[in-house]
Amino acid sequence: MSSSPTHKPRPMVDLIVSVILPSLILMKLSGEDSLGVSGGLIAALAFPLGWGIFELVKYKKFNFIALLGLVSVLMTGSIGLFELDNQWLAIKEAAVPAIIGIAVLVSTFTPYPLIRALLFNASVMDTETIKQKLEEHGSTKMFEKKLMNATYFIAGSFAFSATMNYVLAKWIVTSPAGTEAFNEELGQMTLYSYPMIAIPSMIMMMAIFYYLWRSIHKATGLKLEDLLVKK
């Protein structure tokens, strides 16, 4: 049996396919003299939708966040194509990160907390060595408290994303769905969301990872190079 290819992060490709190209199509090719309103919307949504499906199929690995991304794209397309009230766009934009944040909190009451999948997982950190060192230093309970704090921080970062997504959608997308102006505003919102939401959220996640690393270092004495999985 052949194993699935190893997934390698490609942030620039993700940015171009999922943000830049769809935004340009919505803003420049939605006029009646080009693709038209519906054609422009379908073409723009085809890029992130197709890319998400390609990633899921090629690497054959269920990804809760990727699935939410696909659902988000389909919902955006439905709002535009069926000309629903653009209030639903703002609700949808806020709902996706809100659902993830709630899922992170709720998962702490299950055997599979999402904090371990997002940050403290065996593909990123040498979890077995860390657990062994925690037991040796009698720091397991203290580390679990730090891990719970990191969970609250992550949920807070998604709450920030949900709030900013709602504000951005209400601020920029004011035209009725199904119009050329709606598509242009949707493209602008997509472009602005990267510097205003995605980058701050990324910085928050890096800060949370640093907090987690410092907590592990204090509890075990392990250095960063000892914590990470050797590639």
Side-chain angles (χ1 to χ4, degrees):
M1 287 179 63
S2 60
S3 59
S4 300
T6 302
H7 182 270
K8 295 180 180 179
R10 291 168 286 188
M12 282 307 299
V13 176
D14 291 340
L15 178 61
I16 291 170
V17 175
S18 300
V19 177
I20 296 176
L21 284 177
S23 299
L24 290 175
I25 291 171
L26 287 167
M27 290 188 294
K28 303 298 183 183
L29 299 177
S30 293
E32 293 304 323
D33 56 340
S34 51
L35 296 176
V37 175
S38 297
L41 185 60
I42 292 171
L45 295 175
F47 280 92
L49 182 61
W51 183 246
I53 292 173
F54 167 77
E55 292 265 296
L56 288 172
V57 170
K58 182 172 182 179
Y59 299 108
K60 296 180 175 63
K61 186 177 180 181
F62 177 77
N63 187 315
F64 175 71
I65 295 176
L67 179 62
L68 273 179
L70 293 179
V71 172
S72 174
V73 168
L74 290 173
M75 289 174 67
T76 300
S78 299
I79 291 166
L81 293 174
F82 294 107
E83 302 181 10
L84 304 178
D85 191 314
N86 57 19
Q87 169 73 13
W88 289 104
L89 180 67
I91 293 172
K92 188 276 298 182
E93 289 295 313
V96 173
I99 289 171
I100 298 174
I102 292 169
V104 169
L105 286 176
V106 171
S107 70
T108 60
F109 301 101
T110 74
Y112 307 102
L114 284 175
I115 181 69
R116 297 183 185 274
L118 292 170
L119 292 179
F120 190 64
N121 68 76
S123 63
V124 177
M125 293 188 176
D126 188 349
T127 54
E128 290 304 316
T129 298
I130 294 169
K131 289 175 183 176
Q132 181 183 339
K133 290 292 183 181
L134 286 170
E135 290 177 3
E136 289 176 4
H137 288 77
S139 303
T140 301
K141 286 187 177 180
M142 184 267 284
F143 175 68
E144 289 297 329
K145 290 181 180 177
K146 298 289 185 181
L147 203 57
M148 184 59 70
N149 288 341
T151 299
Y152 296 143
F153 294 151
I154 288 179
S157 73
F158 283 114
F160 163 81
S161 295
T163 303
M164 287 298 295
N165 277 347
Y166 185 84
V167 170
L168 199 62
K170 292 289 288 183
W171 173 43
I172 294 178
V173 185
T174 57
S175 299
T179 63
E180 183 179 347
F182 173 83
N183 279 14
E184 290 180 3
E185 290 163 3
L186 191 59
Q188 291 172 8
M189 184 190 73
T190 304
L191 277 182
Y192 292 164
S193 69
Y194 194 76
M196 292 179 67
I197 302 172
I199 291 178
S201 296
M202 201 179 305
I203 293 171
M204 288 180 195
M205 290 297 288
M206 290 171 64
I208 294 168
F209 183 84
Y210 177 76
Y211 168 81
L212 194 59
W213 167 67
R214 289 293 298 171
S215 299
I216 296 172
H217 174 67
K218 288 180 180 179
T220 65
L222 293 170
K223 296 180 180 179
L224 181 61
E225 56 267 29
D226 300 321
L227 299 178
L228 301 178
V229 172
K230 306 296 187 295
K231 300 295 183 182

